[in-house]
Amino acid sequence: MITREQIPTVLDHPVHDTDGTKIGDAKHVFLDDATGRPEWVSVKTGLFGTSESFVPIHDASIVEDHLEVPYAKDTVKDAPNVDVDAGGHLSEEEEHRLYEHYGIDWDAAWQQADRPGDAGRAHTGTSGDVGPRETTGTPGTPGTRAGTPGTRAGTDDAMTRSEERMTVGTERHEAGRARLRKYVVTEEVQQTVPVRHEEVRVEREPITDENRDAALSGPEISEAEHEVTLHEERPVAQTETVPVERVRMSTEERTDEETVRGRVRKERIEAEGTEDAQGTDQRRRDE
């Protein structure tokens, strides 16, 4: 259980769930009207801390430099949205919805809280700093938010005006995948090559003085054969593998511009009830 003395150790420090996963950062601690004990902690969640979820602090514990709550991260992020008013007060209906979300028995929690008599169930106050605070008030009525100007002992007569600023950043996501894949295809190719072959040609020559001796060298009349072998060329195809190119993939980064729109809240301060010398109401609005 977190005590009021430990509140400075909790504020603006990480909040982890039961698995040790960071949920966000603690921004405010809400105190019980009747007992003054820390009851709820608001956790800034979301990409830029734009959401604020409430989680019970009763069973939380401080571990090293962070607050550990006995709830899963998704459970905390899905908690009912509670819009705390300027007084920093949780209504009974809002608190009831939070109890139901976290599976806490409303009546049992009320009995165990050691509240005086039949005082109403009103929880209020956020702790933005430490020091004297007005946190109890009348049971059953909205109390005051600790750390709000005008509620601290010894505060001055000035009012602080605050506003939200939108911070835009980027995060890297996987947008797709590209791959090189090599596969084999078969193509029909055609090439013309010259081929040679031998043909028989019969040559006849008359008997002359030059070939007479060769012509009379054999028998006068006989049968004979003379054979000639013919040759021809045939096309022969074979394949060989040769490298033709190398292919690789690379990435290049390009920068585009996108417009991000959001809503931010600003506080305005105006003076009411002041009159000038002519009796007209003077109202000054701080823009």
Side-chain angles (χ1 to χ4, degrees), residues 106-211:
W106 168 264
D107 294 323
W110 177 253
Q111 294 293 334
Q112 296 173 3
D114 192 23
R115 294 172 174 81
D118 295 325
R121 300 183 180 100
H123 296 260
T124 182
T126 64
S127 178
D129 51 54
V130 293
R133 300 176 179 83
E134 297 176 13
T135 57
T136 55
T138 302
T141 61
T144 56
R145 185 163 69 178
T148 301
T151 63
R152 295 184 304 178
T155 186
D156 56 22
D157 58 356
M159 182 177 294
T160 301
R161 185 178 69 87
S162 303
E163 65 182 27
E164 294 179 338
R165 301 283 177 87
M166 185 173 71
T167 303
V168 180
T170 61
E171 63 178 7
R172 193 176 183 89
H173 288 276
E174 182 177 304
R177 291 174 180 254
R179 64 172 60 90
L180 286 176
R181 183 171 65 90
K182 184 171 69 173
Y183 58 96
V184 178
V185 297
T186 302
E187 297 180 350
E188 292 288 339
V189 295
Q190 181 175 305
Q191 185 176 347
T192 302
V193 295
V195 293
R196 296 177 298 176
H197 67 277
E198 295 177 342
E199 295 181 351
V200 174
R201 185 177 64 183
V202 179
E203 298 179 354
R204 299 176 184 273
E205 60 181 17
I207 301 300
T208 62
D209 292 338
E210 295 179 357
N211 60 15

Side-chain angles (χ1 to χ4, degrees), residues 178-181 245-251:
R179 64 172 60 90
L180 286 176
R181 183 171 65 90
E245 66 176 353
R246 290 181 58 80
V247 181
R248 65 169 54 89
M249 295 180 68
S250 63
T251 61

Side-chain angles (χ1 to χ4, degrees), residues 196-256:
R196 296 177 298 176
H197 67 277
E198 295 177 342
E199 295 181 351
V200 174
R201 185 177 64 183
V202 179
E203 298 179 354
R204 299 176 184 273
E205 60 181 17
I207 301 300
T208 62
D209 292 338
E210 295 179 357
N211 60 15
R212 184 177 297 275
D213 293 338
L216 297 177
S217 61
E220 294 183 356
I221 296 177
S222 64
E223 293 181 357
E225 290 182 357
H226 183 69
E227 186 178 272
V228 176
T229 301
L230 303 177
H231 298 85
E232 67 177 5
E233 294 179 340
R234 294 179 181 177
V236 177
Q238 62 181 9
T239 61
E240 62 175 340
T241 302
V242 295
V244 292
E245 66 176 353
R246 290 181 58 80
V247 181
R248 65 169 54 89
M249 295 180 68
S250 63
T251 61
E252 60 179 8
E253 190 173 276
R254 297 186 178 182
T255 301
D256 298 326

Side-chain angles (χ1 to χ4, degrees), residues 255-259:
T255 301
D256 298 326
E257 291 186 353
E258 292 188 8
T259 301

